[in-house]
Amino acid sequence: MKLTLNLSELRATPFIGLVELMRLAHANVDLAPLGQMLIDKTSDNLNDANALMDLATVLQLRGNRELALQVQAQAIALQRDYVLPTKKSPTLRVLALLSKGDLMANTPIEFLLENSDIELTQFYVTEDLFTVAGAFNEDLPEHDVLFVAIAESETNLSILKQLEPLLRIRSKPVLNKPERIAKMSRDAACQLLANAAGIVMPNTVRYTMETLNSAAFEYPLIIRPVDSHAGHDLEKIDSSTALTDYVAQQNYDEFFVARFVDYRNADGLFRKYRIMLIAGKPFLAHLAISSHWMIHYLNAGMADDAAKRAEEAHVMHDFPENFAKKHAPAFQAIYERTGLDYIGIDCSETQDGKLLIFEIDSCMIVPYKPMHMAKLFTAFQCLLKATQ
């Protein structure tokens, strides 16, 4: 059942932002009235970039991605910077560099700063910003710390490459440097972590449609289109016939292929951990438990299963002295080899107890669980403040 929304407070808000909008969506609030209110605001003022950006987020949350990206582009054309003011007196000003795109295009650090004393400004970087010499530095808002929130993707590689020399000469601290983020593709990441002690990350190879059809494989394997996330068109393939059938249904040009590792526990269930490394220290963001090998927190039925949630809470409580300590050398290797100040890891354990890594990425979403995530939020805020 959809819940109704009281628009009186939001109507007067200059910029709502992703945190509040996603919280409403997860609470099963009907966002249609809010979307209409934002449309009305932009009709009254065609230059209301804040309303356009919020409208783009509402459209994404309602599943209208293509229209959302069009509205987002309109907002960025009007205004590059979007300020999320703190309710407390700000002690630090953080500038996050973003790229245009959907909810997976950037690190959602606003979730980590809510209710803090840190003011966040999000600044959208587009290719045209590099066409005029000096335009990038001239356009940047005032800040104390700069955080590169742009995620690795085919679309973003050019921007990350052009940012590298510009950020190298800046006097203000820069976290998550672009040249490090650019190495987070699935095939590059497994090479980066190759032979690291205590880590299993199956070799991932990139194939075009042509090379995929002519290659010989050992089965089972997993395959996904390049730049896909959240399990979209990800499949476990058990035979050459199944691979042929999969390819025939796809409209993509390139794919990532890796061997499948059976990571079931003794009880027959699969467990996937999302862990955030902050200055090299691991924090558990969530544990998802499922009878299916492809796990996401929402499709694992965690919300409807009290026993699963109880196990997650127990693991989260014991995480520092158990899972984190057990895999400490592996986490240290990831931190040292990636060189990233903030990074997410989707992982599990092999049946012989090693850390099985599915993906490492700088843009993973941290679920909104304030009661459980306070230590993670505090650690991230301390990371930002430690640069001063």
Side-chain angles (χ1 to χ4, degrees):
M1 182 181 71
K2 288 285 186 182
L3 302 177
T4 58
L5 178 65
N6 186 340
L7 297 176
S8 58
E9 293 184 5
L10 292 177
R11 187 172 284 111
T13 302
F15 183 57
I16 302 170
L18 177 60
V19 173
E20 180 62 24
L21 293 174
M22 188 169 283
R23 182 187 293 114
L24 293 172
H26 284 179
N28 208 32
V29 171
D30 183 6
L31 294 179
L34 175 57
Q36 185 58 55
M37 183 200 80
L38 293 167
I39 291 172
D40 294 341
K41 289 180 72 173
T42 58
S43 298
D44 294 338
N45 179 5
L46 297 178
N47 294 320
D48 192 338
N50 289 332
L52 282 169
M53 187 59 74
D54 282 330
L55 177 59
T57 302
V58 168
L59 289 168
Q60 287 196 63
L61 292 172
R62 300 194 75 215
N64 199 335
R65 181 178 183 274
E66 294 306 315
L67 181 56
L69 296 184
Q70 294 175 28
V71 174
Q72 183 191 72
Q74 293 178 40
I76 295 171
L78 290 170
Q79 175 181 305
R80 292 185 181 274
D81 54 307
Y82 296 83
V83 180
L84 292 163
T86 174
K87 296 177 182 177
K88 303 176 183 178
S89 298
T91 61
L92 190 72
R93 298 168 301 171
V94 173
L95 177 64
L97 300 186
L98 279 65
S99 67
K100 61 183 180 180
D102 60 24
L103 298 179
M104 298 298 297
N106 302 288
T107 306
I109 72 167
E110 55 266 55
F111 286 93
L112 308 176
L113 300 180
E114 189 182 25
N115 298 321
S116 74
D117 57 356
I118 297 174
E119 181 180 89
L120 174 65
T121 299
Q122 297 172 317
F123 183 86
Y124 283 85
V125 180
T126 53
E127 290 282 358
D128 58 295
L129 196 58
F130 304 111
T131 58
V132 179
F136 173 77
N137 287 318
E138 290 174 4
D139 282 2
L140 286 187
E142 288 295 321
H143 59 280
D144 303 307
V145 181
L146 189 148
F147 183 94
V148 182
I150 300 170
E152 185 281 328
S153 70
E154 294 292 297
T155 303
N156 288 341
L157 283 178
S158 174
I159 290 177
L160 290 169
K161 184 176 181 179
Q162 292 179 86
L163 281 175
E164 180 181 346
L166 296 173
L167 298 185
R168 192 184 301 126
I169 61 175
R170 292 193 66 78
S171 59
K172 298 293 177 65
V174 176
L175 298 180
N176 271 20
K177 295 181 179 178
E179 62 270 27
R180 298 289 186 171
I181 294 173
K183 296 179 181 179
M184 292 299 101
S185 66
R186 294 181 188 275
D187 52 342
C190 66
Q191 296 301 318
L192 197 64
L193 299 180
N195 303 316
I199 290 177
V200 173
M201 189 174 186
N203 187 41
T204 299
V205 180
R206 184 170 179 155
Y207 291 89
T208 63
M209 185 71 80
E210 291 74 19
T211 56
L212 188 65
N213 286 325
S214 61
F217 296 106
E218 292 186 11
Y219 299 93
L221 57 81
I222 56 173
I223 185 170
R224 73 179 77 219
V226 170
D227 269 358
S228 67
H229 293 279
H232 293 303
D233 294 310
L234 168 65
E235 293 287 347
K236 174 174 170 285
I237 305 294
D238 295 311
S239 67
S240 58
T241 300
L243 180 60
T244 300
D245 292 342
Y246 171 87
V247 171
Q249 299 172 30
Q250 304 303 318
N251 295 316
Y252 302 96
D253 296 324
E254 294 185 291
F255 301 85
F256 285 131
V257 176
R259 69 182 175 91
F260 174 77
V261 177
D262 189 345
Y263 62 100
R264 274 176 291 194
N265 288 81
D267 61 1
L269 297 177
F270 296 91
R271 287 165 173 81
K272 187 178 80 170
Y273 303 78
R274 173 159 294 183
I275 294 167
M276 313 309 295
L277 280 190
I278 302 175
K281 183 176 180 179
F283 295 84
L284 180 60
H286 70 228
L287 166 63
I289 306 165
S290 175
S291 58
H292 195 276
W293 66 270
M294 186 171 62
I295 309 175
H296 299 284
Y297 198 85
L298 294 178
N299 73 14
M302 298 295 293
D304 302 320
D305 193 318
K308 288 181 178 179
R309 293 198 307 276
E311 179 179 338
E312 180 191 26
H314 176 74
V315 171
M316 191 167 283
H317 180 269
D318 292 346
F319 180 78
E321 296 301 318
N322 193 336
F323 197 99
K325 184 173 289 187
K326 176 181 178 182
H327 297 292
F331 292 132
Q332 184 63 25
I334 295 170
Y335 177 54
E336 291 176 356
R337 295 192 184 194
T338 63
L340 288 169
D341 306 282
Y342 178 81
I343 186 171
I345 308 166
D346 275 350
C347 61
S348 188
E349 289 184 299
T350 60
Q351 293 175 356
D352 61 354
K354 293 181 180 178
L355 191 70
L356 173 62
I357 297 180
F358 306 124
E359 180 182 7
I360 55 174
D361 204 336
S362 63
C363 68
M364 291 183 184
I365 292 177
V366 174
Y368 184 75
K369 298 179 180 179
M371 293 295 293
H372 298 287
M373 307 303 290
K375 291 182 180 179
L376 190 157
F377 297 159
T378 299
F380 183 75
Q381 293 161 26
C382 288
L383 166 67
L384 297 174
K385 293 178 180 180
T387 61
Q388 300 304 292

